[in-house]
Coordinates of all heavy atoms in Angstrom, one line a residue:
M1 N -22.8 -2.9 33.3 CA -23.2 -4.2 32.9 C -22.4 -5.4 33.5 O -22.9 -6.4 33.9 CB -23.1 -4.3 31.3 CG -23.6 -5.7 30.8 SD -23.7 -5.6 29.0 CE -24.0 -7.3 28.7
E2 N -21.1 -5.1 33.6 CA -20.2 -6.1 34.2 C -20.6 -6.5 35.6 O -20.6 -7.7 36.0 CB -18.8 -5.7 34.1 CG -18.2 -5.5 32.7 CD -18.6 -4.2 32.1 OE1 -18.9 -3.3 32.8 OE2 -18.5 -4.1 30.9
H3 N -20.9 -5.5 36.4 CA -21.3 -5.7 37.8 C -22.6 -6.5 37.9 O -22.7 -7.4 38.7 CB -21.4 -4.4 38.6 CG -20.1 -3.7 38.7 ND1 -19.0 -4.2 39.3 CD2 -19.7 -2.5 38.2 CE1 -18.0 -3.3 39.3 NE2 -18.4 -2.3 38.6
G4 N -23.5 -6.2 37.1 CA -24.8 -6.9 37.1 C -24.7 -8.4 36.7 O -25.2 -9.3 37.3
L5 N -23.8 -8.6 35.6 CA -23.6 -10.0 35.2 C -22.8 -10.8 36.2 O -23.0 -12.0 36.4 CB -23.0 -10.0 33.8 CG -23.9 -9.6 32.7 CD1 -23.2 -9.6 31.4 CD2 -25.1 -10.4 32.6
L6 N -21.8 -10.1 36.9 CA -21.1 -10.8 37.9 C -22.0 -11.2 39.1 O -21.9 -12.3 39.6 CB -20.0 -9.9 38.4 CG -18.7 -9.9 37.5 CD1 -17.7 -8.8 38.1 CD2 -18.1 -11.2 37.5
L7 N -22.9 -10.3 39.4 CA -23.8 -10.6 40.5 C -24.8 -11.7 40.1 O -25.0 -12.6 40.9 CB -24.7 -9.4 40.9 CG -25.7 -9.5 41.9 CD1 -25.1 -10.0 43.3 CD2 -26.6 -8.3 42.1
A8 N -25.2 -11.7 38.9 CA -26.1 -12.8 38.4 C -25.3 -14.1 38.4 O -25.9 -15.2 38.7 CB -26.6 -12.5 37.0
G9 N -24.1 -14.1 37.9 CA -23.3 -15.3 37.9 C -23.0 -15.8 39.3 O -23.1 -17.0 39.6
A10 N -22.8 -14.9 40.3 CA -22.5 -15.3 41.7 C -23.8 -15.9 42.3 O -23.8 -17.0 43.0 CB -22.1 -14.2 42.5
L11 N -25.0 -15.3 42.0 CA -26.2 -15.9 42.5 C -26.5 -17.2 41.9 O -27.0 -18.2 42.6 CB -27.4 -14.9 42.2 CG -27.5 -13.7 43.1 CD1 -28.6 -12.8 42.6 CD2 -27.8 -14.1 44.5
F12 N -26.2 -17.4 40.6 CA -26.5 -18.7 39.9 C -25.6 -19.7 40.5 O -26.0 -20.9 40.8 CB -26.3 -18.5 38.4 CG -26.8 -19.7 37.7 CD1 -28.1 -19.8 37.3 CD2 -25.9 -20.8 37.3 CE1 -28.6 -20.9 36.6 CE2 -26.4 -21.9 36.6 CZ -27.7 -21.9 36.2
A13 N -24.3 -19.4 40.7 CA -23.4 -20.4 41.3 C -23.8 -20.7 42.8 O -23.7 -21.9 43.2 CB -22.0 -19.8 41.3
L14 N -24.3 -19.8 43.5 CA -24.7 -20.0 44.9 C -26.0 -21.0 44.8 O -26.0 -21.9 45.6 CB -25.1 -18.7 45.6 CG -25.6 -18.8 47.0 CD1 -24.5 -19.2 47.9 CD2 -26.1 -17.4 47.4
G15 N -26.9 -20.7 43.9 CA -28.0 -21.6 43.8 C -27.6 -23.0 43.4 O -28.2 -24.0 43.8
L16 N -26.7 -23.1 42.5 CA -26.2 -24.4 42.0 C -25.5 -25.2 43.1 O -25.8 -26.4 43.3 CB -25.3 -24.2 40.8 CG -24.8 -25.5 40.1 CD1 -26.0 -26.3 39.5 CD2 -23.8 -25.2 39.1
V17 N -24.7 -24.5 43.9 CA -24.1 -25.2 45.1 C -25.2 -25.7 46.0 O -25.1 -26.8 46.5 CB -23.1 -24.3 45.7 CG1 -22.6 -24.8 47.1 CG2 -21.9 -24.1 44.8
G18 N -26.1 -24.8 46.3 CA -27.2 -25.2 47.2 C -28.0 -26.4 46.7 O -28.5 -27.3 47.4
L19 N -28.2 -26.4 45.4 CA -28.9 -27.5 44.7 C -28.2 -28.8 44.8 O -28.7 -29.9 45.1 CB -29.2 -27.2 43.3 CG -30.0 -28.2 42.5 CD1 -31.5 -28.0 42.9 CD2 -29.9 -27.9 41.0
L20 N -26.8 -28.8 44.7 CA -26.0 -30.0 44.7 C -25.7 -30.5 46.1 O -25.6 -31.7 46.3 CB -24.8 -29.8 43.9 CG -24.9 -29.5 42.4 CD1 -23.6 -29.2 41.8 CD2 -25.6 -30.7 41.8
V21 N -25.6 -29.6 47.1 CA -25.2 -29.9 48.4 C -26.3 -30.3 49.4 O -26.2 -31.3 50.1 CB -24.3 -28.8 49.0 CG1 -24.0 -29.0 50.5 CG2 -23.1 -28.6 48.2
R22 N -27.4 -29.6 49.3 CA -28.5 -29.8 50.3 C -29.3 -31.1 50.0 O -29.4 -31.5 48.9 CB -29.5 -28.6 50.2 CG -28.8 -27.4 50.7 CD -28.6 -27.4 52.2 NE -28.1 -26.1 52.6 CZ -28.1 -25.8 53.9 NH1 -28.6 -26.6 54.8 NH2 -27.7 -24.6 54.3
R23 N -29.8 -31.7 51.0 CA -30.7 -32.9 50.9 C -32.1 -32.5 51.3 O -33.0 -33.4 51.2 CB -30.1 -34.0 51.8 CG -28.7 -34.4 51.6 CD -28.5 -34.9 50.2 NE -29.3 -36.0 49.8 CZ -29.5 -36.4 48.6 NH1 -29.0 -35.8 47.6 NH2 -30.3 -37.5 48.4
N24 N -32.4 -31.3 51.8 CA -33.7 -30.9 52.2 C -34.5 -30.4 51.0 O -34.0 -29.6 50.2 CB -33.6 -29.9 53.3 CG -34.9 -29.6 54.0 OD1 -35.9 -29.7 53.4 ND2 -34.8 -29.2 55.2
V25 N -35.7 -30.8 50.8 CA -36.5 -30.4 49.7 C -36.7 -28.9 49.7 O -36.7 -28.3 48.6 CB -37.8 -31.2 49.6 CG1 -38.7 -30.7 48.5 CG2 -37.6 -32.7 49.5
L26 N -37.0 -28.3 50.8 CA -37.2 -26.9 50.9 C -36.0 -26.1 50.5 O -36.2 -25.1 49.7 CB -37.6 -26.5 52.3 CG -38.1 -25.1 52.6 CD1 -39.3 -24.8 51.7 CD2 -38.3 -24.9 54.0
F27 N -34.9 -26.5 50.9 CA -33.6 -25.8 50.5 C -33.4 -25.9 49.0 O -32.8 -25.0 48.3 CB -32.4 -26.2 51.3 CG -32.5 -25.6 52.7 CD1 -32.7 -26.5 53.8 CD2 -32.3 -24.3 52.9 CE1 -32.7 -26.0 55.1 CE2 -32.3 -23.8 54.2 CZ -32.5 -24.6 55.3
I28 N -33.7 -27.1 48.5 CA -33.5 -27.3 47.0 C -34.4 -26.4 46.2 O -34.0 -25.8 45.2 CB -33.7 -28.8 46.7 CG1 -32.6 -29.6 47.2 CG2 -33.9 -29.0 45.2 CD1 -32.8 -31.1 47.1
L29 N -35.7 -26.3 46.7 CA -36.6 -25.4 46.0 C -36.1 -23.9 46.1 O -36.2 -23.2 45.1 CB -38.0 -25.5 46.6 CG -38.8 -26.8 46.3 CD1 -40.1 -26.8 47.0 CD2 -39.0 -26.8 44.8
M30 N -35.6 -23.5 47.2 CA -35.1 -22.2 47.4 C -33.9 -22.0 46.5 O -33.7 -20.9 45.9 CB -34.7 -21.9 48.8 CG -35.9 -21.7 49.7 SD -35.7 -21.2 51.4 CE -34.0 -21.4 51.8
S31 N -33.0 -23.0 46.3 CA -31.9 -22.9 45.4 C -32.3 -22.7 44.0 O -31.7 -21.9 43.2 CB -31.0 -24.1 45.6 OG -30.5 -24.2 46.9
V32 N -33.3 -23.4 43.6 CA -33.8 -23.3 42.2 C -34.4 -21.9 42.0 O -34.2 -21.3 40.9 CB -34.9 -24.4 41.9 CG1 -35.6 -24.1 40.6 CG2 -34.3 -25.7 41.9
E33 N -35.1 -21.3 43.0 CA -35.6 -20.0 42.9 C -34.4 -19.0 42.7 O -34.5 -18.0 42.0 CB -36.4 -19.6 44.1 CG -37.7 -20.4 44.2 CD -38.8 -19.9 43.2 OE1 -38.7 -18.7 42.8 OE2 -39.6 -20.7 42.8
I34 N -33.4 -19.2 43.5 CA -32.2 -18.3 43.4 C -31.6 -18.3 42.0 O -31.3 -17.3 41.4 CB -31.2 -18.6 44.5 CG1 -31.7 -18.2 45.8 CG2 -29.8 -17.9 44.2 CD1 -30.8 -18.7 47.0
M35 N -31.5 -19.5 41.4 CA -31.0 -19.7 40.1 C -31.9 -19.0 39.0 O -31.4 -18.4 38.1 CB -30.8 -21.2 39.7 CG -29.7 -21.8 40.5 SD -29.7 -23.6 40.4 CE -29.3 -23.8 38.7
M36 N -33.2 -19.1 39.2 CA -34.1 -18.5 38.2 C -34.0 -16.9 38.4 O -34.1 -16.2 37.4 CB -35.5 -19.0 38.4 CG -35.7 -20.3 37.8 SD -37.4 -20.8 37.5 CE -38.1 -20.9 39.1
N37 N -33.9 -16.4 39.6 CA -33.7 -15.0 39.8 C -32.4 -14.5 39.2 O -32.4 -13.4 38.7 CB -33.9 -14.6 41.3 CG -35.3 -14.7 41.7 OD1 -36.2 -14.4 41.0 ND2 -35.5 -15.0 43.0
A38 N -31.4 -15.3 39.3 CA -30.1 -14.9 38.7 C -30.2 -14.8 37.1 O -29.7 -13.9 36.5 CB -29.0 -15.9 39.0
A39 N -30.9 -15.8 36.5 CA -31.1 -15.7 35.1 C -32.0 -14.5 34.7 O -31.7 -13.8 33.7 CB -31.8 -17.0 34.6
A40 N -33.0 -14.2 35.5 CA -33.8 -13.0 35.3 C -33.0 -11.7 35.4 O -33.2 -10.8 34.6 CB -35.0 -13.0 36.2
L41 N -32.1 -11.7 36.4 CA -31.3 -10.5 36.5 C -30.4 -10.3 35.3 O -30.2 -9.2 34.8 CB -30.5 -10.6 37.8 CG -29.5 -9.5 38.1 CD1 -30.2 -8.1 38.2 CD2 -28.6 -9.8 39.3
A42 N -29.8 -11.4 34.8 CA -29.0 -11.4 33.6 C -29.7 -10.8 32.4 O -29.2 -10.0 31.6 CB -28.4 -12.7 33.3
F43 N -31.0 -11.3 32.2 CA -31.8 -10.8 31.1 C -32.1 -9.3 31.3 O -32.0 -8.5 30.3 CB -33.1 -11.5 31.1 CG -33.1 -12.8 30.3 CD1 -33.3 -14.0 31.0 CD2 -32.7 -12.8 29.0 CE1 -33.3 -15.2 30.3 CE2 -32.7 -14.0 28.3 CZ -32.9 -15.2 28.9
V44 N -32.4 -8.8 32.5 CA -32.7 -7.4 32.7 C -31.4 -6.6 32.4 O -31.5 -5.5 31.8 CB -33.3 -7.1 34.1 CG1 -33.3 -5.7 34.4 CG2 -34.6 -7.8 34.2
V45 N -30.3 -7.0 32.9 CA -29.0 -6.3 32.7 C -28.7 -6.2 31.2 O -28.3 -5.1 30.7 CB -27.9 -6.9 33.5 CG1 -26.5 -6.4 33.1 CG2 -28.1 -6.7 35.0
A46 N -28.8 -7.3 30.5 CA -28.5 -7.3 29.1 C -29.5 -6.4 28.3 O -29.1 -5.7 27.4 CB -28.5 -8.7 28.6
G47 N -30.7 -6.5 28.7 CA -31.7 -5.7 28.0 C -31.5 -4.2 28.3 O -31.6 -3.3 27.4
A48 N -31.1 -3.8 29.5 CA -30.8 -2.4 29.8 C -29.5 -2.0 29.0 O -29.4 -0.8 28.6 CB -30.6 -2.2 31.3
R49 N -28.6 -2.8 28.8 CA -27.3 -2.5 28.2 C -27.6 -2.1 26.7 O -27.0 -1.2 26.2 CB -26.3 -3.6 28.3 CG -25.1 -3.6 27.4 CD -24.2 -2.4 27.7 NE -23.0 -2.4 27.0 CZ -22.8 -1.8 25.8 NH1 -23.8 -1.2 25.3 NH2 -21.7 -1.8 25.2
W50 N -28.4 -2.9 26.0 CA -28.7 -2.7 24.6 C -29.9 -1.9 24.3 O -30.3 -1.7 23.2 CB -28.7 -4.1 23.9 CG -27.4 -4.7 23.8 CD1 -26.3 -4.2 23.1 CD2 -26.9 -5.9 24.4 NE1 -25.2 -5.0 23.2 CE2 -25.6 -6.0 24.0 CE3 -27.5 -6.8 25.2 CZ2 -24.8 -7.1 24.4 CZ3 -26.7 -7.9 25.6 CH2 -25.4 -8.0 25.3
G51 N -30.6 -1.4 25.4 CA -31.7 -0.5 25.2 C -32.9 -1.2 24.7 O -33.8 -0.6 24.0
K52 N -33.1 -2.5 24.9 CA -34.2 -3.2 24.4 C -35.1 -3.6 25.6 O -34.6 -3.8 26.7 CB -33.8 -4.5 23.7 CG -32.9 -4.3 22.5 CD -33.7 -3.9 21.3 CE -32.7 -3.8 20.1 NZ -33.4 -3.5 19.0
E53 N -36.4 -3.8 25.3 CA -37.3 -4.2 26.4 C -37.4 -5.7 26.5 O -38.2 -6.3 27.3 CB -38.6 -3.6 26.3 CG -39.3 -3.8 24.9 CD -38.9 -2.9 23.8 OE1 -38.3 -1.8 24.1 OE2 -39.1 -3.2 22.7
D54 N -36.7 -6.5 25.7 CA -36.8 -7.9 25.7 C -36.4 -8.5 27.0 O -36.9 -9.5 27.4 CB -35.9 -8.5 24.6 CG -36.3 -8.1 23.2 OD1 -37.4 -7.6 23.1 OD2 -35.5 -8.2 22.2
G55 N -35.4 -7.9 27.7 CA -35.0 -8.4 29.0 C -36.0 -8.3 30.0 O -36.2 -9.3 30.8
Q56 N -36.8 -7.3 30.0 CA -37.9 -7.1 30.9 C -39.1 -8.1 30.6 O -39.7 -8.6 31.5 CB -38.4 -5.7 31.0 CG -37.3 -4.8 31.5 CD -37.8 -3.3 31.4 OE1 -38.8 -3.0 30.9 NE2 -36.9 -2.4 31.9
I57 N -39.3 -8.4 29.4 CA -40.3 -9.3 29.0 C -39.9 -10.7 29.5 O -40.7 -11.5 30.0 CB -40.6 -9.3 27.5 CG1 -41.2 -7.9 27.1 CG2 -41.4 -10.4 27.0 CD1 -41.2 -7.7 25.6
M58 N -38.7 -11.1 29.3 CA -38.2 -12.4 29.7 C -38.2 -12.5 31.3 O -38.5 -13.5 31.8 CB -36.8 -12.6 29.3 CG -36.7 -12.9 27.8 SD -37.7 -14.4 27.3 CE -36.9 -15.7 28.2
F59 N -38.0 -11.3 31.9 CA -38.1 -11.3 33.4 C -39.5 -11.6 33.8 O -39.7 -12.4 34.8 CB -37.7 -9.9 33.9 CG -37.8 -9.8 35.4 CD1 -36.8 -10.3 36.2 CD2 -38.8 -9.0 36.0 CE1 -36.9 -10.2 37.6 CE2 -38.9 -8.9 37.3 CZ -37.9 -9.5 38.1
I60 N -40.5 -11.1 33.2 CA -41.9 -11.4 33.5 C -42.2 -12.9 33.3 O -42.9 -13.5 34.1 CB -42.9 -10.5 32.7 CG1 -42.7 -9.0 33.2 CG2 -44.3 -10.9 32.9 CD1 -43.5 -8.0 32.4
F61 N -41.7 -13.4 32.2 CA -41.9 -14.9 31.9 C -41.2 -15.7 33.0 O -41.8 -16.7 33.5 CB -41.3 -15.3 30.6 CG -42.2 -14.8 29.4 CD1 -41.6 -14.5 28.2 CD2 -43.6 -14.8 29.5 CE1 -42.4 -14.1 27.1 CE2 -44.4 -14.4 28.4 CZ -43.8 -14.0 27.2
I62 N -40.0 -15.3 33.4 CA -39.3 -16.1 34.5 C -40.1 -16.0 35.8 O -40.2 -17.0 36.5 CB -37.9 -15.6 34.6 CG1 -37.1 -16.0 33.3 CG2 -37.2 -16.1 35.8 CD1 -35.7 -15.5 33.2
L63 N -40.6 -14.8 36.1 CA -41.4 -14.7 37.3 C -42.6 -15.6 37.3 O -43.0 -16.2 38.3 CB -41.8 -13.2 37.6 CG -40.8 -12.3 38.1 CD1 -41.3 -10.9 38.3 CD2 -40.2 -12.8 39.4
T64 N -43.3 -15.6 36.2 CA -44.5 -16.5 36.0 C -44.1 -18.0 36.2 O -44.8 -18.7 36.9 CB -45.1 -16.3 34.6 OG1 -45.4 -14.9 34.4 CG2 -46.4 -17.1 34.5
L65 N -43.0 -18.4 35.6 CA -42.5 -19.7 35.7 C -42.1 -20.0 37.2 O -42.4 -21.1 37.7 CB -41.3 -20.0 34.8 CG -40.6 -21.3 34.9 CD1 -41.5 -22.4 34.3 CD2 -39.3 -21.3 34.2
A66 N -41.5 -19.1 37.9 CA -41.1 -19.2 39.3 C -42.3 -19.4 40.2 O -42.3 -20.2 41.1 CB -40.3 -18.1 39.7
A67 N -43.4 -18.7 39.9 CA -44.6 -18.8 40.7 C -45.2 -20.2 40.5 O -45.7 -20.8 41.5 CB -45.6 -17.7 40.3
A68 N -45.3 -20.6 39.2 CA -45.8 -22.0 39.0 C -45.0 -23.0 39.6 O -45.5 -24.0 40.2 CB -45.9 -22.2 37.5
E69 N -43.6 -22.9 39.5 CA -42.7 -23.9 40.1 C -42.9 -23.9 41.7 O -42.8 -24.9 42.3 CB -41.3 -23.5 39.7 CG -40.2 -24.4 40.3 CD -39.6 -23.9 41.5 OE1 -39.6 -22.7 41.8 OE2 -39.1 -24.8 42.3
A70 N -43.1 -22.7 42.3 CA -43.2 -22.7 43.7 C -44.5 -23.4 44.2 O -44.5 -24.1 45.2 CB -43.2 -21.2 44.2
S71 N -45.6 -23.1 43.4 CA -46.8 -23.8 43.9 C -46.8 -25.3 43.7 O -47.2 -26.0 44.6 CB -48.0 -23.2 43.1 OG -47.9 -23.5 41.7
V72 N -46.3 -25.8 42.6 CA -46.2 -27.2 42.4 C -45.1 -27.8 43.4 O -45.4 -28.9 44.0 CB -45.8 -27.5 40.9 CG1 -45.5 -29.0 40.8 CG2 -46.9 -27.1 40.0
G73 N -44.0 -27.1 43.6 CA -43.0 -27.6 44.5 C -43.5 -27.7 45.9 O -43.2 -28.7 46.6
L74 N -44.2 -26.7 46.3 CA -44.7 -26.7 47.7 C -45.8 -27.8 47.9 O -45.9 -28.4 49.0 CB -45.2 -25.3 48.1 CG -44.1 -24.3 48.3 CD1 -44.7 -22.9 48.6 CD2 -43.2 -24.7 49.4
A75 N -46.6 -28.0 46.9 CA -47.6 -29.1 47.0 C -46.9 -30.4 47.1 O -47.3 -31.3 47.9 CB -48.5 -29.1 45.7
L76 N -45.8 -30.7 46.3 CA -45.1 -31.9 46.5 C -44.4 -32.0 47.8 O -44.3 -33.1 48.4 CB -44.0 -32.0 45.4 CG -44.5 -32.3 44.0 CD1 -43.4 -32.2 43.0 CD2 -45.0 -33.7 44.0
L77 N -43.9 -30.9 48.3 CA -43.3 -30.8 49.6 C -44.2 -31.2 50.7 O -43.9 -32.0 51.6 CB -42.7 -29.4 49.9 CG -42.0 -29.2 51.2 CD1 -40.6 -28.6 50.9 CD2 -42.8 -28.3 52.0
L78 N -45.5 -30.7 50.7 CA -46.5 -31.1 51.6 C -46.8 -32.6 51.6 O -47.0 -33.2 52.6 CB -47.7 -30.2 51.5 CG -47.6 -28.8 51.9 CD1 -48.8 -28.0 51.5 CD2 -47.4 -28.7 53.4
Q79 N -46.9 -33.1 50.4 CA -47.2 -34.5 50.2 C -46.1 -35.4 50.8 O -46.4 -36.4 51.4 CB -47.5 -34.9 48.8 CG -48.8 -34.3 48.3 CD -50.0 -34.9 49.0 OE1 -50.0 -36.1 49.4 NE2 -51.0 -34.0 49.3
I80 N -44.9 -35.0 50.5 CA -43.7 -35.8 51.0 C -43.7 -35.7 52.5 O -43.5 -36.7 53.2 CB -42.4 -35.3 50.4 CG1 -42.3 -35.6 49.0 CG2 -41.2 -35.8 51.2 CD1 -41.2 -35.0 48.2
F81 N -44.0 -34.6 53.1 CA -43.9 -34.4 54.6 C -45.1 -35.2 55.2 O -44.9 -35.8 56.3 CB -44.0 -33.0 55.0 CG -43.8 -32.8 56.5 CD1 -42.6 -33.0 57.0 CD2 -44.9 -32.5 57.3 CE1 -42.4 -32.8 58.4 CE2 -44.8 -32.3 58.6 CZ -43.5 -32.5 59.2
R82 N -46.3 -35.2 54.6 CA -47.4 -35.9 55.2 C -47.2 -37.4 55.2 O -47.5 -38.1 56.1 CB -48.7 -35.6 54.3 CG -49.4 -34.4 54.8 CD -50.8 -34.4 54.1 NE -51.2 -33.0 54.1 CZ -52.0 -32.5 53.2 NH1 -52.5 -33.3 52.2 NH2 -52.4 -31.3 53.3
R83 N -46.6 -37.9 54.1 CA -46.4 -39.3 54.0 C -45.2 -39.9 54.8 O -45.3 -40.9 55.4 CB -46.2 -39.7 52.5 CG -46.2 -41.2 52.3 CD -46.4 -41.5 50.9 NE -46.4 -42.9 50.7 CZ -46.5 -43.6 49.6 NH1 -46.7 -42.9 48.5 NH2 -46.5 -44.9 49.5
F84 N -44.1 -39.2 54.8 CA -42.9 -39.7 55.4 C -42.4 -39.0 56.6 O -41.4 -39.3 57.2 CB -41.7 -39.7 54.3 CG -42.0 -40.5 53.1 CD1 -42.3 -39.9 51.9 CD2 -42.1 -41.9 53.2 CE1 -42.5 -40.6 50.8 CE2 -42.3 -42.6 52.1 CZ -42.6 -42.0 50.9
Q85 N -43.1 -37.9 57.0 CA -42.7 -37.1 58.2 C -41.3 -36.5 58.1 O -40.7 -36.4 59.2 CB -43.0 -37.9 59.5 CG -44.4 -38.4 59.7 CD -45.4 -37.3 59.7 OE1 -45.1 -36.2 60.3 NE2 -46.5 -37.4 59.1
T86 N -40.8 -36.3 56.9 CA -39.4 -35.8 56.8 C -39.4 -35.0 55.5 O -40.2 -35.2 54.6 CB -38.4 -36.9 56.8 OG1 -37.1 -36.3 56.7 CG2 -38.5 -37.9 55.6
L87 N -38.4 -34.1 55.3 CA -38.3 -33.3 54.1 C -37.0 -33.8 53.4 O -36.5 -33.0 52.5 CB -38.2 -31.8 54.4 CG -39.5 -31.2 54.9 CD1 -39.4 -29.8 55.2 CD2 -40.6 -31.4 53.9
D88 N -36.5 -34.9 53.7 CA -35.3 -35.4 53.1 C -35.6 -35.8 51.6 O -36.6 -36.5 51.4 CB -34.7 -36.6 53.8 CG -33.3 -37.0 53.3 OD1 -32.6 -36.2 52.8 OD2 -33.0 -38.2 53.5
I89 N -34.7 -35.5 50.7 CA -35.0 -35.8 49.3 C -35.0 -37.3 49.0 O -35.7 -37.7 48.0 CB -34.0 -35.0 48.4 CG1 -34.4 -35.0 46.9 CG2 -32.6 -35.6 48.5 CD1 -35.6 -34.2 46.7
D90 N -34.3 -38.1 49.8 CA -34.3 -39.5 49.5 C -35.7 -40.1 49.8 O -36.0 -41.2 49.3 CB -33.3 -40.2 50.4 CG -31.9 -39.8 50.0 OD1 -31.7 -39.5 48.8 OD2 -31.0 -39.7 50.9
A91 N -36.5 -39.5 50.6 CA -37.9 -40.0 50.8 C -38.7 -39.9 49.6 O -39.6 -40.7 49.4 CB -38.5 -39.2 52.0
A92 N -38.4 -39.0 48.7 CA -39.2 -38.9 47.5 C -39.0 -40.1 46.6 O -39.9 -40.4 45.8 CB -38.9 -37.6 46.7
G93 N -37.9 -40.7 46.7 CA -37.6 -41.9 45.9 C -38.5 -43.1 46.3 O -38.6 -44.1 45.5
K94 N -39.0 -43.1 47.5 CA -39.8 -44.2 48.0 C -41.3 -44.0 47.6 O -42.1 -44.9 47.8 CB -39.8 -44.2 49.5 CG -38.4 -44.5 50.0 CD -38.4 -44.4 51.5 CE -36.9 -44.6 52.1 NZ -36.9 -44.4 53.5
M95 N -41.7 -42.9 47.0 CA -43.1 -42.7 46.6 C -43.4 -43.5 45.4 O -42.7 -43.6 44.4 CB -43.3 -41.2 46.3 CG -43.2 -40.3 47.5 SD -43.6 -38.6 47.1 CE -45.4 -38.7 47.1
R96 N -44.5 -44.2 45.4 CA -45.0 -45.0 44.3 C -46.4 -44.6 44.0 O -47.2 -44.1 44.8 CB -45.0 -46.5 44.7 CG -43.7 -47.0 45.2 CD -43.0 -47.6 44.0 NE -41.7 -48.2 44.4 CZ -40.5 -47.9 44.0 NH1 -40.4 -46.9 43.2 NH2 -39.5 -48.5 44.5
G97 N -46.8 -44.8 42.7 CA -48.2 -44.7 42.4 C -48.5 -43.5 41.6 O -49.4 -43.1 41.2

């Protein structure tokens, strides 16, 4: 259990660093995905430790949330790129309407 939670913590920290450091929308979306996968891994590890299937159920919910986030995020990414010809996150602040 300790190794799984350490891996989940390391993945979450890696995603958080990517979220705070990067200015590219695509890399920010990938960092959020890494953070959600880290949380899902922590749920599965904890569920396996206590012999409950709750961790796997939460994993399925997190995968569903990640799929929805990816589709909405990529749609926003395409709109930002079409309008500003860049994937810089500061360009999203200029969107109106």
Side-chain angles (χ1 to χ4, degrees):
M1 178 171 175
E2 294 83 17
H3 296 297
L5 289 178
L6 281 175
L7 178 62
L11 284 174
F12 193 85
L14 181 68
L16 186 63
V17 167
L19 186 71
L20 295 175
V21 172
R22 294 291 186 161
R23 302 302 302 164
N24 191 329
V25 177
L26 185 61
F27 284 112
I28 289 174
L29 287 174
M30 288 185 347
S31 296
V32 171
E33 290 288 332
I34 289 172
M35 291 171 64
M36 285 198 295
N37 283 331
L41 177 63
F43 276 118
V44 169
V45 168
R49 166 67 174 91
W50 287 295
K52 302 279 184 176
E53 57 277 344
D54 297 344
Q56 294 174 357
I57 293 169
M58 288 303 295
F59 179 75
I60 291 173
F61 285 146
I62 290 173
L63 281 182
T64 305
L65 178 69
E69 181 263 336
S71 63
V72 170
L74 289 176
L76 285 172
L77 181 126
L78 286 174
Q79 288 299 321
I80 290 171
F81 186 74
R82 273 191 203 152
R83 185 162 182 184
F84 299 109
Q85 301 301 319
T86 183
L87 292 179
D88 189 29
I89 195 68
D90 294 329
K94 297 176 185 174
M95 292 183 82
R96 301 270 186 240

